[in-house]
Amino acid sequence: SSELTQDPAVSVALGQTVRITCQGDNLRNYYANWYQQRTGQAPVLVMFGKNKRPSGIPDRFSGSSSKNTASLTITGAQAEDEADYYCCSRDNSGDHWVFGGGTRLTVL
Amino acid sequence: QVQLEESGPGLVKPSQTLSLTCNVSGVSVRGDSYYWTWIRQPAGKALEWIGRIYISGRTNYSPSLKSRVTISLDTSSNQFSLRLSALTAADTAVYFCVREAYDTAWYVFDYWGQGTLVTVSS
C-alpha cells in the first residue's frame, strides 16, 4: 500500500510536547517530509529527509522514524504552531508522491 | 528570490478542460535540480499530488488522474502549465504550483505558489 495514515486531530497544552505520527508501508523505503499549513496559507516545509530541518524552522521541531512510522515532534508548542500538518513521501513505485490525510494541531 | 504564481480561470464548467499556468521568477525552469509540480486541495480536505515535469520533458502523474492530466513546460516564458480534462465537481479545489528540489540527499517541495481556487460548476 502507498497510503499514509495520520490521526485527524491532536491537541497540546501551550509549552508542552506533542508528537504527530504518519504510518505507511512505503515509509520503510522512503523518508517522510512534513509540511505545516496555517489557515488560508500555502504549506511550508518543516522537516525532511533524515530528520533535517529547513533554514528558519525553530529547533523545537524534530523528526524521527522507525519501520513504517514517521513522527514529527514539537517540544514546547507555541500558539503559532497551531496548524494542519501533512506528511508526504514517495509511493512504492518511487515515481509519485502521496500525502497523508493531515493532522490538525490545536494548542490549548 | 524564488516566486511561483498561478493564473487561470476561477470557474470552469463540468466536462470542460481546465488550463492553469504557473509563472516562475527568481530561478530558471531549465534547472536540472528541479521538478515542477502541481498539487491541489479541496476545501477542508488533504493535499493531493497531481504530477510533475522535469526539464527533459519527463512527466509523472498521479495514477488516479493520469488519464486526464497533462503538464507541460515553457522554457521561453519560464512557465509551466496544467491541463485537466473532463472536469467534475470533485475537481473543485485550490491548485498550487510547486517546486520540487533536491536538498541534502532527499527531495522536497520547497517553494509554493499562493494557490488559485478553481470551481467546477455550470
Side-chain angles (χ1 to χ4, degrees), chain A residues 4-7 10 18-23 27 34 69-73 85 87 102-103:
Chain A
L4 297 176
T5 301
Q6 298 181 241
D7 291 329
V10 171
V18 62
R19 174 175 290 184
I20 299 169
T21 60
C22 174
Q23 288 189 308
L27 297 181
W34 290 93
T69 301
S71 300
L72 176 71
T73 299
Y85 290 85
C87 63
T103 296

PDB file of all heavy atoms in Angstrom, chain A residues 4-7 10 18-23 27 34 69-73 85 87 102-103:
ATOM      1  N   LEU A   4      -0.677   6.919   3.305  1.00  0.00           N
ATOM      2  CA  LEU A   4      -0.095   7.431   4.532  1.00  0.00           C
ATOM      3  C   LEU A   4      -1.228   7.804   5.484  1.00  0.00           C
ATOM      4  O   LEU A   4      -2.136   8.552   5.108  1.00  0.00           O
ATOM      5  CB  LEU A   4       0.780   8.654   4.246  1.00  0.00           C
ATOM      6  CG  LEU A   4       1.998   8.395   3.355  1.00  0.00           C
ATOM      7  CD1 LEU A   4       2.730   9.695   3.063  1.00  0.00           C
ATOM      8  CD2 LEU A   4       2.935   7.397   4.007  1.00  0.00           C
ATOM      9  N   THR A   5      -1.157   7.293   6.703  1.00  0.00           N
ATOM     10  CA  THR A   5      -2.240   7.477   7.667  1.00  0.00           C
ATOM     11  C   THR A   5      -1.804   8.376   8.808  1.00  0.00           C
ATOM     12  O   THR A   5      -0.757   8.134   9.433  1.00  0.00           O
ATOM     13  CB  THR A   5      -2.675   6.112   8.226  1.00  0.00           C
ATOM     14  OG1 THR A   5      -3.111   5.271   7.146  1.00  0.00           O
ATOM     15  CG2 THR A   5      -3.824   6.285   9.214  1.00  0.00           C
ATOM     16  N   GLN A   6      -2.612   9.397   9.062  1.00  0.00           N
ATOM     17  CA  GLN A   6      -2.361  10.318  10.171  1.00  0.00           C
ATOM     18  C   GLN A   6      -3.614  10.414  11.046  1.00  0.00           C
ATOM     19  O   GLN A   6      -4.731  10.274  10.558  1.00  0.00           O
ATOM     20  CB  GLN A   6      -2.046  11.729   9.652  1.00  0.00           C
ATOM     21  CG  GLN A   6      -0.813  11.833   8.796  1.00  0.00           C
ATOM     22  CD  GLN A   6      -0.579  13.281   8.365  1.00  0.00           C
ATOM     23  OE1 GLN A   6      -0.583  13.572   7.177  1.00  0.00           O
ATOM     24  NE2 GLN A   6      -0.365  14.162   9.337  1.00  0.00           N
ATOM     25  N   ASP A   7      -3.417  10.687  12.323  1.00  0.00           N
ATOM     26  CA  ASP A   7      -4.536  10.996  13.199  1.00  0.00           C
ATOM     27  C   ASP A   7      -5.154  12.319  12.738  1.00  0.00           C
ATOM     28  O   ASP A   7      -4.433  13.273  12.447  1.00  0.00           O
ATOM     29  CB  ASP A   7      -4.081  11.138  14.647  1.00  0.00           C
ATOM     30  CG  ASP A   7      -3.647   9.817  15.240  1.00  0.00           C
ATOM     31  OD1 ASP A   7      -4.197   8.775  14.834  1.00  0.00           O
ATOM     32  OD2 ASP A   7      -2.744   9.824  16.108  1.00  0.00           O
ATOM     33  N   VAL A  10      -5.056  16.432  16.904  1.00  0.00           N
ATOM     34  CA  VAL A  10      -4.264  16.285  18.127  1.00  0.00           C
ATOM     35  C   VAL A  10      -4.279  17.638  18.833  1.00  0.00           C
ATOM     36  O   VAL A  10      -4.293  18.688  18.177  1.00  0.00           O
ATOM     37  CB  VAL A  10      -2.811  15.873  17.799  1.00  0.00           C
ATOM     38  CG1 VAL A  10      -1.939  15.929  19.037  1.00  0.00           C
ATOM     39  CG2 VAL A  10      -2.765  14.483  17.184  1.00  0.00           C
ATOM     40  N   VAL A  18       4.301  17.566  21.867  1.00  0.00           N
ATOM     41  CA  VAL A  18       3.318  16.797  21.110  1.00  0.00           C
ATOM     42  C   VAL A  18       4.025  16.057  19.986  1.00  0.00           C
ATOM     43  O   VAL A  18       5.001  16.555  19.411  1.00  0.00           O
ATOM     44  CB  VAL A  18       2.210  17.709  20.533  1.00  0.00           C
ATOM     45  CG1 VAL A  18       2.769  18.723  19.568  1.00  0.00           C
ATOM     46  CG2 VAL A  18       1.095  16.889  19.905  1.00  0.00           C
ATOM     47  N   ARG A  19       3.562  14.847  19.737  1.00  0.00           N
ATOM     48  CA  ARG A  19       4.090  14.035  18.636  1.00  0.00           C
ATOM     49  C   ARG A  19       2.966  13.762  17.654  1.00  0.00           C
ATOM     50  O   ARG A  19       1.886  13.303  18.037  1.00  0.00           O
ATOM     51  CB  ARG A  19       4.669  12.730  19.156  1.00  0.00           C
ATOM     52  CG  ARG A  19       5.114  11.770  18.054  1.00  0.00           C
ATOM     53  CD  ARG A  19       5.786  10.545  18.605  1.00  0.00           C
ATOM     54  NE  ARG A  19       7.099  10.860  19.175  1.00  0.00           N
ATOM     55  CZ  ARG A  19       7.923   9.951  19.652  1.00  0.00           C
ATOM     56  NH1 ARG A  19       7.581   8.689  19.687  1.00  0.00           N
ATOM     57  NH2 ARG A  19       9.099  10.312  20.136  1.00  0.00           N
ATOM     58  N   ILE A  20       3.255  14.006  16.373  1.00  0.00           N
ATOM     59  CA  ILE A  20       2.317  13.734  15.284  1.00  0.00           C
ATOM     60  C   ILE A  20       2.915  12.601  14.458  1.00  0.00           C
ATOM     61  O   ILE A  20       4.083  12.670  14.072  1.00  0.00           O
ATOM     62  CB  ILE A  20       2.116  14.996  14.417  1.00  0.00           C
ATOM     63  CG1 ILE A  20       1.534  16.128  15.274  1.00  0.00           C
ATOM     64  CG2 ILE A  20       1.202  14.693  13.236  1.00  0.00           C
ATOM     65  CD1 ILE A  20       1.543  17.485  14.576  1.00  0.00           C
ATOM     66  N   THR A  21       2.109  11.579  14.208  1.00  0.00           N
ATOM     67  CA  THR A  21       2.657  10.404  13.547  1.00  0.00           C
ATOM     68  C   THR A  21       2.040  10.181  12.162  1.00  0.00           C
ATOM     69  O   THR A  21       0.948  10.666  11.855  1.00  0.00           O
ATOM     70  CB  THR A  21       2.442   9.139  14.386  1.00  0.00           C
ATOM     71  OG1 THR A  21       1.043   8.939  14.572  1.00  0.00           O
ATOM     72  CG2 THR A  21       3.138   9.258  15.733  1.00  0.00           C
ATOM     73  N   CYS A  22       2.760   9.411  11.367  1.00  0.00           N
ATOM     74  CA  CYS A  22       2.378   9.100   9.991  1.00  0.00           C
ATOM     75  C   CYS A  22       2.795   7.666   9.724  1.00  0.00           C
ATOM     76  O   CYS A  22       3.968   7.322   9.918  1.00  0.00           O
ATOM     77  CB  CYS A  22       3.101  10.071   9.061  1.00  0.00           C
ATOM     78  SG  CYS A  22       2.913   9.773   7.295  1.00  0.00           S
ATOM     79  N   GLN A  23       1.846   6.851   9.301  1.00  0.00           N
ATOM     80  CA  GLN A  23       2.147   5.438   9.064  1.00  0.00           C
ATOM     81  C   GLN A  23       1.898   5.069   7.611  1.00  0.00           C
ATOM     82  O   GLN A  23       0.914   5.498   6.998  1.00  0.00           O
ATOM     83  CB  GLN A  23       1.265   4.563   9.959  1.00  0.00           C
ATOM     84  CG  GLN A  23       1.638   4.581  11.425  1.00  0.00           C
ATOM     85  CD  GLN A  23       0.868   3.536  12.213  1.00  0.00           C
ATOM     86  OE1 GLN A  23      -0.363   3.481  12.146  1.00  0.00           O
ATOM     87  NE2 GLN A  23       1.583   2.716  12.960  1.00  0.00           N
ATOM     88  N   LEU A  27       6.994   4.003   3.905  1.00  0.00           N
ATOM     89  CA  LEU A  27       7.961   4.660   4.790  1.00  0.00           C
ATOM     90  C   LEU A  27       9.102   3.731   5.193  1.00  0.00           C
ATOM     91  O   LEU A  27      10.097   4.172   5.760  1.00  0.00           O
ATOM     92  CB  LEU A  27       7.261   5.205   6.029  1.00  0.00           C
ATOM     93  CG  LEU A  27       6.208   6.291   5.761  1.00  0.00           C
ATOM     94  CD1 LEU A  27       5.600   6.777   7.072  1.00  0.00           C
ATOM     95  CD2 LEU A  27       6.826   7.452   4.989  1.00  0.00           C
ATOM     96  N   TRP A  34       7.525  16.686   6.128  1.00  0.00           N
ATOM     97  CA  TRP A  34       6.413  17.237   6.892  1.00  0.00           C
ATOM     98  C   TRP A  34       6.173  18.691   6.476  1.00  0.00           C
ATOM     99  O   TRP A  34       7.109  19.486   6.385  1.00  0.00           O
ATOM    100  CB  TRP A  34       6.709  17.186   8.387  1.00  0.00           C
ATOM    101  CG  TRP A  34       6.704  15.806   8.954  1.00  0.00           C
ATOM    102  CD1 TRP A  34       7.769  14.975   9.099  1.00  0.00           C
ATOM    103  CD2 TRP A  34       5.563  15.099   9.465  1.00  0.00           C
ATOM    104  NE1 TRP A  34       7.373  13.783   9.663  1.00  0.00           N
ATOM    105  CE2 TRP A  34       6.024  13.840   9.911  1.00  0.00           C
ATOM    106  CE3 TRP A  34       4.214  15.403   9.610  1.00  0.00           C
ATOM    107  CZ2 TRP A  34       5.181  12.870  10.480  1.00  0.00           C
ATOM    108  CZ3 TRP A  34       3.373  14.457  10.180  1.00  0.00           C
ATOM    109  CH2 TRP A  34       3.860  13.215  10.603  1.00  0.00           C
ATOM    110  N   THR A  69       6.720   3.993  10.385  1.00  0.00           N
ATOM    111  CA  THR A  69       6.143   5.164  11.039  1.00  0.00           C
ATOM    112  C   THR A  69       7.144   6.313  11.095  1.00  0.00           C
ATOM    113  O   THR A  69       8.277   6.137  11.525  1.00  0.00           O
ATOM    114  CB  THR A  69       5.685   4.818  12.461  1.00  0.00           C
ATOM    115  OG1 THR A  69       4.707   3.761  12.406  1.00  0.00           O
ATOM    116  CG2 THR A  69       5.064   6.036  13.139  1.00  0.00           C
ATOM    117  N   ALA A  70       6.681   7.485  10.651  1.00  0.00           N
ATOM    118  CA  ALA A  70       7.454   8.710  10.795  1.00  0.00           C
ATOM    119  C   ALA A  70       6.750   9.600  11.803  1.00  0.00           C
ATOM    120  O   ALA A  70       5.513   9.579  11.889  1.00  0.00           O
ATOM    121  CB  ALA A  70       7.577   9.424   9.458  1.00  0.00           C
ATOM    122  N   SER A  71       7.529  10.369  12.548  1.00  0.00           N
ATOM    123  CA  SER A  71       6.957  11.224  13.586  1.00  0.00           C
ATOM    124  C   SER A  71       7.539  12.623  13.511  1.00  0.00           C
ATOM    125  O   SER A  71       8.723  12.797  13.208  1.00  0.00           O
ATOM    126  CB  SER A  71       7.239  10.647  14.985  1.00  0.00           C
ATOM    127  OG  SER A  71       6.685   9.355  15.118  1.00  0.00           O
ATOM    128  N   LEU A  72       6.696  13.580  13.797  1.00  0.00           N
ATOM    129  CA  LEU A  72       7.095  14.981  13.942  1.00  0.00           C
ATOM    130  C   LEU A  72       6.801  15.370  15.380  1.00  0.00           C
ATOM    131  O   LEU A  72       5.661  15.211  15.843  1.00  0.00           O
ATOM    132  CB  LEU A  72       6.304  15.868  12.986  1.00  0.00           C
ATOM    133  CG  LEU A  72       6.560  17.372  13.096  1.00  0.00           C
ATOM    134  CD1 LEU A  72       7.951  17.700  12.554  1.00  0.00           C
ATOM    135  CD2 LEU A  72       5.489  18.147  12.332  1.00  0.00           C
ATOM    136  N   THR A  73       7.812  15.826  16.091  1.00  0.00           N
ATOM    137  CA  THR A  73       7.651  16.210  17.485  1.00  0.00           C
ATOM    138  C   THR A  73       7.878  17.705  17.640  1.00  0.00           C
ATOM    139  O   THR A  73       8.818  18.258  17.075  1.00  0.00           O
ATOM    140  CB  THR A  73       8.635  15.442  18.377  1.00  0.00           C
ATOM    141  OG1 THR A  73       8.374  14.034  18.262  1.00  0.00           O
ATOM    142  CG2 THR A  73       8.476  15.852  19.843  1.00  0.00           C
ATOM    143  N   TYR A  85      -0.891  19.670   9.789  1.00  0.00           N
ATOM    144  CA  TYR A  85       0.406  19.097   9.450  1.00  0.00           C
ATOM    145  C   TYR A  85       0.204  17.891   8.545  1.00  0.00           C
ATOM    146  O   TYR A  85      -0.588  16.995   8.843  1.00  0.00           O
ATOM    147  CB  TYR A  85       1.157  18.688  10.721  1.00  0.00           C
ATOM    148  CG  TYR A  85       1.607  19.891  11.515  1.00  0.00           C
ATOM    149  CD1 TYR A  85       0.757  20.510  12.420  1.00  0.00           C
ATOM    150  CD2 TYR A  85       2.878  20.431  11.330  1.00  0.00           C
ATOM    151  CE1 TYR A  85       1.149  21.641  13.125  1.00  0.00           C
ATOM    152  CE2 TYR A  85       3.290  21.555  12.030  1.00  0.00           C
ATOM    153  CZ  TYR A  85       2.418  22.155  12.921  1.00  0.00           C
ATOM    154  OH  TYR A  85       2.813  23.277  13.613  1.00  0.00           O
ATOM    155  N   CYS A  87       2.128  14.785   6.352  1.00  0.00           N
ATOM    156  CA  CYS A  87       3.302  14.022   5.966  1.00  0.00           C
ATOM    157  C   CYS A  87       3.190  13.718   4.473  1.00  0.00           C
ATOM    158  O   CYS A  87       2.099  13.728   3.896  1.00  0.00           O
ATOM    159  CB  CYS A  87       3.458  12.751   6.782  1.00  0.00           C
ATOM    160  SG  CYS A  87       2.119  11.554   6.604  1.00  0.00           S
ATOM    161  N   GLY A 102      -3.507  14.418   6.873  1.00  0.00           N
ATOM    162  CA  GLY A 102      -3.342  15.636   7.643  1.00  0.00           C
ATOM    163  C   GLY A 102      -3.757  15.479   9.094  1.00  0.00           C
ATOM    164  O   GLY A 102      -4.681  14.718   9.411  1.00  0.00           O
ATOM    165  N   THR A 103      -3.062  16.192   9.972  1.00  0.00           N
ATOM    166  CA  THR A 103      -3.387  16.240  11.396  1.00  0.00           C
ATOM    167  C   THR A 103      -3.577  17.694  11.801  1.00  0.00           C
ATOM    168  O   THR A 103      -2.683  18.516  11.597  1.00  0.00           O
ATOM    169  CB  THR A 103      -2.257  15.624  12.247  1.00  0.00           C
ATOM    170  OG1 THR A 103      -2.124  14.240  11.925  1.00  0.00           O
ATOM    171  CG2 THR A 103      -2.574  15.773  13.740  1.00  0.00           C
TER     172      THR A 103
END
